[in-house]
């Protein structure tokens, strides 16, 4: 059946174009053709010339020919590719047993206690799943059960996951993935959108209030406001902080809950705190985490205020065969070990500052760079055709991304216009990696910016 949806095109920054397949090396062509024959719908490769990796360590990946690439893109291997402590912990557990949450596990309880100790005291219950999508799906189920509402508020180009439920409030998936009729969109916290004489807090409060009013007008009581602490898909907006309190006040006044999606902004990614929401001095009702929790193994989590989750637990059956089982818990516990042993948060803070300062210096005179923004090791560089109009320049962004890839440095793109360079390395990124990145970026900027 032909429909508007079937003709829609999925949004995907920096996507490989299969039309140029014949220009690739023979072996790569063959693998991609075989891949196309056997993989299901929706898969895509990135970069104009896709790349195959065979090993990794820290913030580095090695291709089949032995070339070293600096990974400034992949956040999921949180403490670094193939971190030996995580590898050893998982290997040891695999050689012993993998048992699920229906059986007593000291390791699960120990891990939950350690993880919850990094949160405000009000957030004291942990459920474990396998992915950020599952975590956000469960969070929304609990929010609906607790509030009796259906209405959801997210930012205009947000991404929260791929289950049918979560895709319904992930506008970045594009027109081929329709939003639910119970979903309303608000601006990301971009200070440039604030009217003269107003504040960002006032602007965001008004956005939330307007969304709640429109939901109620259409018969939807509010269930939840969901935001990603880095506004990753909206274009990376981490500063200034402080506006979130006003948004949450409006949500609570309407009977809803606030869900902090920390899949990308959590685990000290933003440097100043373990969790992105903490930078704002607020306490969410629900917090979700994704696979960085286990350095890439399928483990994710949802942390609740007990008054929000307890009745759901008494009334609704929830079980996840792999979520919370022995192997992913071993990986997650090993990640916390590394945070403690290597002082990861301080490393993120110091190297993030050096990275942003270097990028600001390199791009200061460019007419095509509207802004360098971010916090910790999450940085966005907004590329435009003209600084005054701020018209997005997707082509320029893809040129820069692929020039860097050709020089063996990996980043990608984000934002609705796919014109914001997304720099989001593993947290193993060190001072030498910062230097290499800046030197390589300066070469590309000289040609392109």
């Amino acid at each position: 059946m032909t429909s508007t949806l079937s003709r829609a095109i999925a949004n995907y920054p920096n996507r490989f174009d299969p039309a140029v397949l014949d220009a690739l090396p023979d072996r790569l062509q063959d693998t991609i053709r075989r891949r196309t024959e056997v993989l299901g719908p929706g898969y895509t490769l990135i970069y104009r010339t896709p790349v195959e990796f065979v090993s990794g360590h820290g913030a580095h990946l090695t291709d089949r020919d032995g070339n070293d690439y600096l990974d400034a893109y992949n956040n999921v291997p949180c403490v670094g590719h193939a971190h030996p402590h995580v590898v050893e912990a998982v290997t040891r557990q695999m050689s012993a047993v993998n048992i699920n949450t229906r059986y007593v596990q000291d390791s699960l309880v120990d891990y939950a206690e350690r993880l919850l100790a990094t949160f405000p005291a009000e957030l004291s219950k942990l459920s474990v799943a396998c992915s950020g999508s599952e975590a956000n799906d469960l969070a929304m189920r609990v929010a609906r059960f607790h509030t009796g509402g259906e209405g959801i508020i997210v930012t205009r180009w947000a991404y929260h996951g791929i289950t049918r439920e979560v895709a319904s409030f992930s506008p970045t998936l594009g027109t081929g993935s329709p939003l639910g009729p119970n979903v309303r969109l608000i601006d990301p916290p971009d200070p440039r959108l604030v009217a003269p004489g107003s504040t960002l807090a006032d602007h965001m409060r008004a956005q939330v209030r307007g969304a709640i009013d429109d939901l109620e007008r259409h018969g939807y009581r509010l269930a939840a406001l969901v935001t990603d602490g880095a506004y990753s898909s909206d274009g990376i907006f981490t500063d200034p902080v402080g506006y979130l309190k006003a948004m949450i006040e409006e949500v609570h006044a309407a009977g809803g809950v606030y869900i902090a999606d920390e899949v990308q902004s959590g685990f000290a990614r933003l440097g100043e705190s373990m969790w992105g929401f903490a930078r704002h001095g607020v306490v969410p009702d629900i917090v979700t985490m994704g696979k960085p929790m286990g350095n890439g193994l399928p483990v994710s989590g949802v942390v609740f205020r007990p008054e929000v989750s307890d009745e759901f637990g008494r009334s609704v059956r929830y079980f996840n065969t792999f979520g919370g089982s022995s192997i992913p818990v071993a990986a997650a516990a090993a990640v916390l070990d590394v945070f403690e042993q290597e002082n990861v948060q301080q490393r993120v803070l110091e190297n993030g500052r050096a990275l942003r300062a270097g990028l600001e210096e390199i791009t200061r005179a460019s007419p095509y760079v509207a802004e360098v923004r971010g916090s910790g090791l999450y940085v966005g560089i907004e590329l435009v055709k003209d600084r005054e109009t701020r018209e997005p320049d997707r082509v320029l962004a893809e040129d820069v991304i692929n020039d860097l890839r050709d020089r063996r440095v990996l980043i990608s793109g984000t934002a609705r216009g796919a014109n914001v360079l997304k720099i989001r390395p593993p947290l193993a990124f060190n001072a030498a990696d910062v230097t290499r990145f800046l030197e390589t970026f300066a070469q590309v900027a000289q040609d392109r910016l």
Side-chain angles (χ1 to χ4, degrees):
M1 181 178 70
T2 301
S3 68
T4 301
L5 288 182
S6 68
R7 293 191 297 271
I9 298 175
N11 177 66
Y12 208 113
N14 187 34
R15 184 176 189 159
F16 168 66
D17 182 1
V20 302
L21 181 61
D22 290 345
L24 300 181
D26 290 346
R27 188 186 176 284
L28 202 55
Q29 283 189 48
D30 179 62
T31 302
I32 293 172
R33 287 195 173 97
R34 288 169 53 215
R35 168 190 168 108
T36 302
E37 288 294 321
V38 298
L39 295 187
Y43 288 97
T44 188
L45 292 163
I46 58 173
Y47 303 113
R48 290 169 184 163
T49 303
V51 59
E52 176 186 9
F53 296 114
V54 296
S55 65
H57 68 280
H60 296 257
L61 291 164
T62 305
D63 71 10
R64 183 172 288 277
D65 296 321
N67 297 306
D68 176 88
Y69 287 71
L70 178 62
D71 183 2
Y73 172 58
N74 288 293
N75 65 312
V76 171
C78 178
V79 294
H81 294 283
H83 193 290
H85 184 68
V86 180
V87 171
E88 191 277 331
V90 172
T91 303
R92 183 176 65 248
Q93 190 61 54
M94 287 183 72
S95 68
V97 69
N98 189 43
I99 201 70
N100 64 51
T101 55
R102 286 180 170 139
Y103 303 91
V104 177
Q105 299 176 67
D106 276 347
S107 60
L108 174 59
V109 178
D110 290 345
Y111 175 72
E113 290 173 343
R114 290 178 68 192
L115 181 69
L116 290 170
T118 70
F119 284 89
E122 296 93 329
L123 292 159
S124 60
K125 295 289 186 178
L126 170 68
S127 293
V128 188
C130 300
S131 69
S133 297
E134 282 190 359
N136 281 323
D137 193 284
L138 176 60
M140 190 55 66
R141 285 182 66 192
V142 173
R144 284 176 160 164
F145 185 93
H146 176 71
T147 64
E150 294 286 326
I152 302 169
I153 303 172
V154 295
T155 51
R156 297 200 185 280
W157 206 236
Y159 174 74
H160 295 290
I162 57 171
T163 67
R164 180 171 181 173
E165 165 70 23
V166 182
S168 77
F169 57 89
S170 293
T172 195
L173 294 175
T175 55
S177 181
L179 298 177
N182 59 320
V183 176
R184 296 296 181 272
L185 308 182
I186 61 172
D187 294 336
D190 183 349
R192 298 170 300 185
L193 299 176
V194 178
S198 187
T199 67
L200 184 58
D202 289 340
H203 176 73
M204 298 307 294
R205 182 191 293 274
Q207 291 281 308
V208 171
R209 182 68 257 167
I212 292 169
D213 289 345
D214 194 60
L215 284 167
E216 291 176 347
R217 188 177 303 118
H218 290 85
Y220 294 107
R221 180 179 177 181
L222 180 65
L225 164 70
V226 191
T227 68
D228 155 19
Y231 300 88
S232 310
S233 296
D234 287 291
I236 308 173
F237 296 95
T238 59
D239 292 285
V241 297
Y243 58 83
L244 198 50
K245 181 180 179 182
M247 299 169 69
I248 296 172
E249 286 174 351
E250 293 297 328
V251 168
H252 285 166
V257 298
Y258 170 54
I259 300 173
D261 182 337
E262 295 280 341
V263 172
Q264 295 197 55
S265 59
F267 288 96
R269 166 64 55 182
L270 303 184
E272 296 156 338
S273 56
M274 187 68 166
W275 307 107
F277 67 80
R279 300 173 72 237
H280 295 265
V282 300
V283 180
D285 301 293
I286 303 173
V287 179
T288 59
M289 296 156 283
K291 287 183 287 296
M293 185 173 170
N295 212 44
L297 262 75
V299 56
S300 64
V302 191
V303 173
F304 301 97
R305 290 178 182 259
E307 62 269 27
V308 170
S309 63
D310 282 0
E311 185 60 30
F312 178 90
R314 287 189 288 268
S315 305
V316 179
R317 175 177 170 177
Y318 176 77
F319 174 68
N320 190 314
T321 306
F322 193 69
S325 62
S326 314
I327 291 171
V329 166
V335 166
L336 291 186
D337 292 342
V338 174
F339 265 79
E340 295 166 3
Q341 295 163 5
E342 299 183 8
N343 199 4
V344 170
Q345 184 176 331
Q346 186 62 29
R347 182 170 68 207
V348 171
L349 196 60
E350 292 174 359
N351 291 314
R353 285 172 178 163
L355 178 63
R356 291 193 308 280
L359 290 170
E360 287 167 359
E361 179 64 27
I362 292 167
T363 61
R364 182 171 289 117
S366 172
Y368 308 115
V369 176
E371 199 168 46
V372 175
R373 52 183 180 256
S375 181
L377 285 174
Y378 211 149
V379 183
I381 305 175
E382 183 179 352
L383 300 186
V384 294
K385 296 180 180 179
D386 180 270
R387 269 187 173 179
E388 288 190 12
T389 64
R390 300 207 310 269
E391 181 183 353
D393 197 332
R394 180 174 187 148
V395 173
L396 177 59
E398 294 194 350
D399 285 342
V400 171
I401 290 165
N402 283 281
D403 282 359
L404 285 168
R405 176 257 177 269
D406 292 343
R407 289 170 169 83
R408 302 191 183 119
V409 171
L410 307 177
I411 67 168
S412 193
T414 189
R416 187 162 195 161
N419 65 307
V420 175
L421 305 180
K422 178 164 61 174
I423 303 164
R424 185 195 55 184
L427 303 184
F429 210 71
N430 60 32
D433 297 329
V434 171
T435 297
R436 176 177 169 184
F437 185 92
L438 292 174
E439 289 175 348
T440 308
F441 188 84
Q443 295 168 8
V444 173
Q446 187 173 18
D447 295 338
R448 296 285 187 184
L449 304 178

